[in-house]
Amino acid sequence: MIFRTAALSVTLILLVLTEVWAQNPRKRLAPLKPPKVQCCDEVRAMKVQVANLTSLLEELNRKQETDLMNIVRQMMDLDKQNRQQEARVTEAESKYSEINNRVEIMQLQASQSVTQSSSDAIYDCASLYNKNYKISGEYKLPADEFLGTPEIDVFCDMESNGGGWTLIQKRKVGLTSFNRDWKQYKKGFGTIRGDFWLGNDNIFRLTRQPSTLRIEMEDWEGETRYAEYSHFTVKNELNSYKLLIGNYSGNAGNSLRYHNNTNFSTMGKDNDKCVDDCASIRKGGYWYNCCTDSNLNGVFYRHGNQGKNTDGITWYGWHGPNYSLKRVEMKIRPQNFKS
Ligand SMILES: [Ca+2]
């Protein structure tokens, strides 16, 4: 009995030991297993991350591509818009010039039809102004049958100082030489929309009625001055287009008075009151005395700098003999003109 009990005890102890033994290795192995699991999880996580990144990259690539495409498309759109705008500007410009042309034609037709139908003829821009043509621009004055002179292209200033002004001279662009001979000054030269001399025959024709002369000047600093003579006449060719002026007003100084009662001189035609040949010294056509207190048909010097030369576009009463003006306009209208 004692042996059986002891045997049972031994068996129990063995069982317990076996159990303990069986548990122990598991306990000892346990710390080995978890790192293996952690490693694989990490790899798996990394794989997932890589996959995610790859798809993100692909997405980014796609997005960049579409962005690029969008930019290209936008640029193409902009280019198209640009071209459309350019076309619109061109169209507007051509429309503008078309309208301008139409206005000019209307002005022309108006002046012509008025001459044919009206009892009072068109003499100058003042006549046109009085017939309600109040846009500044190029007009055609009809031929003068009495004088036997042809029609004249003129530029009418219908805006400044009451309008009705017929321009007889303009210096502004500076590309037209005013150093010309008698014949050219007689007939006129240049372009009506640019620099020109209307012609001594035309000026004689226009000043047969009592006229006012207004001279507007601008210097290279942008300042403007004027000189006005309420009496202005130019005689005919037989009288060498002699100048008669009087009754000055203005703020530029009276620098045409010295030229009053003198004949017109040009290159090759010395009608001045001097031993010298003023026209060749001052390089223009003008009513030279001996020689100048003004030289509005002189040489155009850019920025007024004529150095030591005395042949520029001068008006001594304002800037003296060594300063060439930037812009000059000489215009006339009848003394009795009312705007
Ligand atoms: Ca002389």
Side-chain angles (χ1 to χ4, degrees):
M1 194 60 186
I2 292 168
F3 177 76
R4 273 171 73 188
T5 312
L8 198 68
S9 294
V10 167
T11 311
L12 270 170
I13 287 164
L14 270 172
L15 269 170
V16 168
L17 274 174
T18 312
E19 186 63 25
V20 168
W21 181 255
Q23 279 179 1
N24 267 351
R26 238 180 270 159
K27 271 180 194 166
R28 251 182 267 133
L29 279 171
L32 285 173
K33 242 190 173 175
K36 216 178 183 182
V37 170
Q38 208 183 345
C39 143
C40 292
D41 282 347
E42 267 176 13
V43 167
R44 220 173 292 140
M46 275 172 75
K47 274 187 182 169
V48 170
Q49 272 182 341
V50 166
N52 282 347
L53 277 171
T54 309
S55 75
L56 201 69
L57 262 174
E58 278 170 6
E59 203 183 318
L60 273 172
N61 270 342
R62 268 199 303 276
K63 210 167 165 247
Q64 267 186 341
E65 259 174 32
T66 46
D67 279 353
L68 202 70
M69 289 279 283
N70 279 342
I71 287 169
V72 168
R73 214 170 293 143
Q74 278 173 3
M75 276 169 71
M76 280 165 75
D77 279 351
L78 275 174
D79 192 43
K80 198 177 160 192
Q81 280 175 10
N82 242 354
R83 254 177 287 142
Q84 280 173 343
Q85 264 175 350
E86 265 174 20
R88 246 175 269 152
V89 166
T90 314
E91 198 189 322
E93 274 176 347
S94 76
K95 255 186 201 162
Y96 172 77
S97 74
E98 200 182 300
I99 288 167
N100 213 24
N101 278 347
R102 229 179 288 156
V103 167
E104 279 178 11
I105 291 164
M106 272 162 59
Q107 288 172 342
L108 212 75
Q109 285 173 340
S111 68
Q112 282 162 352
S113 67
V114 162
T115 343
Q116 283 156 10
S117 64
S118 169
S119 55
D120 48 352
I122 303 283
Y123 295 112
D124 52 15
C125 294
S127 319
L128 287 166
Y129 185 94
N130 288 333
K131 292 182 185 344
N132 233 13
Y133 299 102
K134 299 188 175 173
I135 306 164
S136 292
E138 206 177 333
Y139 288 83
K140 211 178 261 296
L141 301 180
D144 191 315
E145 280 164 30
F146 178 75
L147 287 173
T149 50
E151 53 184 20
I152 324 172
D153 288 320
V154 290
F155 193 92
C156 297
D157 177 353
M158 301 302 207
E159 281 142 51
S160 52
N161 303 96
W165 298 101
T166 307
L167 268 72
I168 61 169
Q169 186 253 32
K170 188 155 79 178
R171 309 296 302 271
K172 182 187 174 185
V173 185
L175 298 175
T176 305
S177 169
F178 275 60
N179 196 14
R180 311 247 182 170
D181 64 18
W182 186 262
K183 263 190 180 167
Q184 286 175 298
Y185 268 98
K186 173 187 163 77
K187 287 200 169 295
F189 56 83
T191 49
I192 284 299
R193 287 192 173 275
D195 294 5
F196 69 90
W197 180 255
L198 189 62
N200 289 337
D201 278 346
N202 293 326
I203 297 170
F204 160 68
R205 165 182 162 180
L206 290 168
T207 58
R208 275 187 309 143
Q209 56 182 333
S211 299
T212 297
L213 168 70
R214 185 180 170 91
I215 303 164
E216 283 169 6
M217 297 162 253
E218 185 184 336
D219 67 13
W220 291 90
E221 283 71 47
E223 204 184 319
T224 56
R225 297 277 175 97
Y226 78 98
E228 202 170 298
Y229 297 87
S230 67
H231 178 71
F232 172 65
T233 304
V234 170
K235 293 198 169 184
N236 64 12
E237 189 177 12
L238 282 174
N239 292 291
S240 300
Y241 304 114
K242 183 180 268 190
L243 171 72
L244 297 166
I245 47 134
N247 203 11
Y248 161 85
S249 63
N251 57 9
N254 190 355
S255 291
L256 204 56
R257 181 176 51 192
Y258 180 65
H259 302 264
N260 186 29
N261 213 22
T262 58
N263 296 326
F264 204 85
S265 295
T266 65
M267 168 203 290
K269 194 100 174 176
D270 181 356
N271 291 326
D272 60 38
K273 296 176 175 173
C274 213
V275 189
D276 294 325
D277 181 352
C278 293
S280 79
I281 294 169
R282 300 289 192 250
K283 296 194 182 73
Y286 206 56
W287 301 279
Y288 290 114
N289 189 329
C290 187
C291 283
T292 49
D293 195 33
S294 64
N295 190 31
L296 298 179
N297 290 337
V299 180
F300 186 97
Y301 285 96
R302 230 154 266 286
H303 309 302
N305 181 20
Q306 54 182 23
K308 285 178 181 167
N309 300 320
T310 51
D311 53 10
I313 304 169
T314 52
W315 189 269
Y316 292 15
W318 184 16
H319 275 300
N322 296 109
Y323 186 99
S324 188
L325 297 166
K326 182 188 180 185
R327 191 178 63 87
V328 177
E329 275 182 14
M330 297 172 77
K331 46 187 107 178
I332 57 171
R333 74 180 174 197
Q335 270 173 16
N336 61 4
F337 176 80
K338 284 183 191 77
S339 63

